[in-house]
Amino acid sequence: SQQGEEDPQALSIQEGENATMNCSYKTSINNLQWYRQNSGRGLVHLILIRSNEREKHSGRLRVTLDTSKKSSSLLITASRAADTASYFCATRGSSNTGKLIFGQGTTLQVKP
Amino acid sequence: DGGITQSPKYLFRKEGQNVTLSCEQNLNHDAMYWYRQDPGQGLRLIYYSQIVNDFQKGDIAEGYSVSREKKESFPLTVTSAQKNPTAFYLCASSPQSRSSYNEQFFGPGTRLTVL
């Protein structure tokens, strides 16, 4: 079962602009992670934010988490053509199984 | 190089045949996972294993089987009972599933097509 939804489903911007993707989820979480997938490839972990954190930065990435609204956002600043990919949020619940539940993903196209 | 490998990259199957997808990791990770991805969709969990000789069903286990005889290997068999097996299959591993903050490391995937 899918935990939640990502919005927008697709996003097209010019190089240099910022890209914002949103993720909503349904149940309580231990942490939320963002992954990137280039076309036809495996996923690569980008950043993890714990349920007691509100904001986290990594290079040009900024992630926020609002547990009261059960939502997260990923901001990519000063985008580059190489950022073109699909981005997925994944939530980890409070159980010890290590299972992640993935959203549907946002496809980002950055035009040079 | 440390990492997680999947083979083959492309696999074609005739209806009624069983096929086995390979997943190997040399990261010394305890936990391993199999996901299915359909076009334009997110990942859905098929099976996962937290330790050798133990595995659990995920959300869409029907028509699939796995084994975990060695820590580094977690093969997935797509059986003839799986009615719509054409998809992209991704294997992942993580250091220790009971640790709350572990990311998952993904292989490059196997694209299975039923002819």
Side-chain angles (χ1 to χ4, degrees), chain A residues 93-106:
Chain A
S94 54
S95 72
N96 289 329
T97 63
K99 290 167 57 178
L100 293 177
I101 302 177
F102 285 83
Q104 305 277 14
T106 292

Side-chain angles (χ1 to χ4, degrees), chain A residues 29-71:
Chain A
I29 62 170
N30 178 287
N31 67 68
L32 186 144
Q33 303 176 27
W34 285 90
Y35 288 80
R36 167 192 169 127
Q37 183 182 35
N38 285 68
S39 181
R41 310 290 290 274
L43 277 69
V44 175
H45 181 263
L46 294 175
I47 194 166
L48 181 153
I49 186 165
R50 302 176 185 182
S51 60
N52 61 354
E53 297 177 314
R54 293 297 166 257
E55 188 171 314
K56 202 161 184 180
H57 296 256
S58 176
R60 293 184 296 113
L61 304 180
R62 173 178 169 253
V63 170
T64 61
L65 179 64
D66 186 336
T67 53
S68 66
K69 295 181 180 178
K70 291 187 168 56
S71 68

Side-chain angles (χ1 to χ4, degrees), chain B residues 2-3 8-9 16 22 29 32 46-48 51 53 72 74 81 100 110-111 115:
Chain B
K9 186 171 183 178
S22 169
H29 287 173
M32 296 186 76
I46 304 172
Y47 268 98
Y48 64 102
I51 197 169
N53 292 322
E72 59 269 25
F74 191 40
S100 297
T110 292
R111 188 166 300 279
L115 304 173

